[in-house]
Amino acid sequence: MLLLLMQIIAGLILLVCLGFLAYWFIAWKQGNCAFVLLKGKRSPYRVEFMDRTRAVLTCTVPIRNAGRQNGTIMDAFVRPYMPEEQYDRVDVRTILMDTARPREDDYWEALIVEPGKTVELRVKITLTARAGSILQDLEHFPDLPMDIIYQIVGRSDWVYEKGRIHLEQDELRDALYNYKSGVMEHGRA
């Protein structure tokens, strides 16, 4: 009788273990979302607006769901790394938005991305002069590293991931020159 009871318990434990293994195999087979920030495909920075005290630059960065399931970008923002100790002549503000649904209030509206699809993120950088003239205050502006931080969720628990992009001195200079040239060319100076 005791042997039969032990065999039944062992059989139940075996069934539970097999069920657990089957569950993990199915979960593995179905996959999950896997977002990849395509930093190498970032668009060049361009000046969207400029006046005497402020310059607004934008660029787009694609993000791709390389996984096998839908994924949701629950939250996303861009964080500039420009401490005042490094450069105190310009105030740097950044906003990240979905190009398909732009928002200027720095609120990220959750976005579902199907597997294999790519969406464009728009980075907006507002540089405000502290001394008066934005062009003078940007003369010695250093490279600006920025992290794009995004919270994603799919079949597994949510996670934060990030990728770093840069606004380099020569890119800033080129964007400002192209804007000023376009203004002069179109007679809006």
Side-chain angles (χ1 to χ4, degrees):
M1 180 69 153
L2 186 59
L3 183 61
L4 180 62
L5 185 60
M6 294 297 274
Q7 287 176 340
I8 291 173
I9 291 173
L12 289 174
I13 291 173
L14 179 66
L15 285 175
V16 168
C17 290
L18 288 175
F20 183 75
L21 289 173
Y23 167 78
W24 281 108
F25 176 75
I26 291 169
W28 172 79
K29 184 83 171 142
Q30 286 182 336
N32 199 0
C33 63
F35 284 93
V36 178
L37 191 64
L38 304 172
K39 300 177 286 189
K41 294 189 177 187
R42 174 184 58 79
S43 70
Y45 290 96
R46 70 176 193 82
V47 176
E48 189 174 279
F49 170 81
M50 188 167 76
D51 62 15
R52 184 167 150 33
T53 61
R54 190 169 51 123
V56 179
L57 290 90
T58 59
C59 74
T60 58
V61 182
I63 187 168
R64 179 176 178 77
N65 181 358
R68 295 186 295 198
Q69 293 290 327
N70 284 350
T72 304
I73 302 175
M74 298 295 293
D75 189 19
F77 56 94
V78 62
R79 176 160 184 187
Y81 291 101
M82 181 61 68
E84 286 187 9
E85 296 82 14
Q86 182 181 358
Y87 195 76
D88 65 352
R89 299 189 69 183
V90 174
D91 182 40
V92 179
R93 311 289 283 168
T94 56
I95 296 176
L96 183 71
M97 60 188 88
D98 174 13
T99 56
R101 298 177 301 178
R103 295 181 67 121
E104 295 292 329
D105 60 356
D106 205 17
Y107 176 81
W108 179 265
E109 197 172 325
L111 173 66
I112 297 173
V113 183
E114 295 177 9
K117 299 289 184 189
T118 301
V119 294
E120 296 280 329
L121 305 179
R122 182 170 173 233
V123 178
K124 183 174 182 179
I125 307 162
T126 303
L127 305 170
T128 306
R130 290 188 177 171
S133 169
I134 191 65
L135 291 176
Q136 288 177 348
D137 287 353
L138 289 176
E139 274 183 24
H140 303 290
F141 190 78
D143 291 351
L144 173 62
M146 296 172 282
D147 280 348
I148 296 176
I149 303 168
Y150 47 99
Q151 177 190 19
I152 58 171
V153 66
R155 288 191 170 272
S156 60
D157 293 338
W158 61 267
V159 294
Y160 276 101
E161 294 184 1
K162 69 179 181 174
R164 181 162 287 184
I165 62 172
H166 293 84
L167 170 58
E168 296 178 359
Q169 289 176 334
D170 57 341
E171 289 179 294
L172 175 60
R173 199 171 304 117
D174 290 346
L176 291 171
Y177 176 78
N178 289 336
Y179 180 79
K180 296 291 280 176
S181 296
V183 168
M184 298 292 203
E185 193 174 288
H186 293 93
R188 295 181 300 202

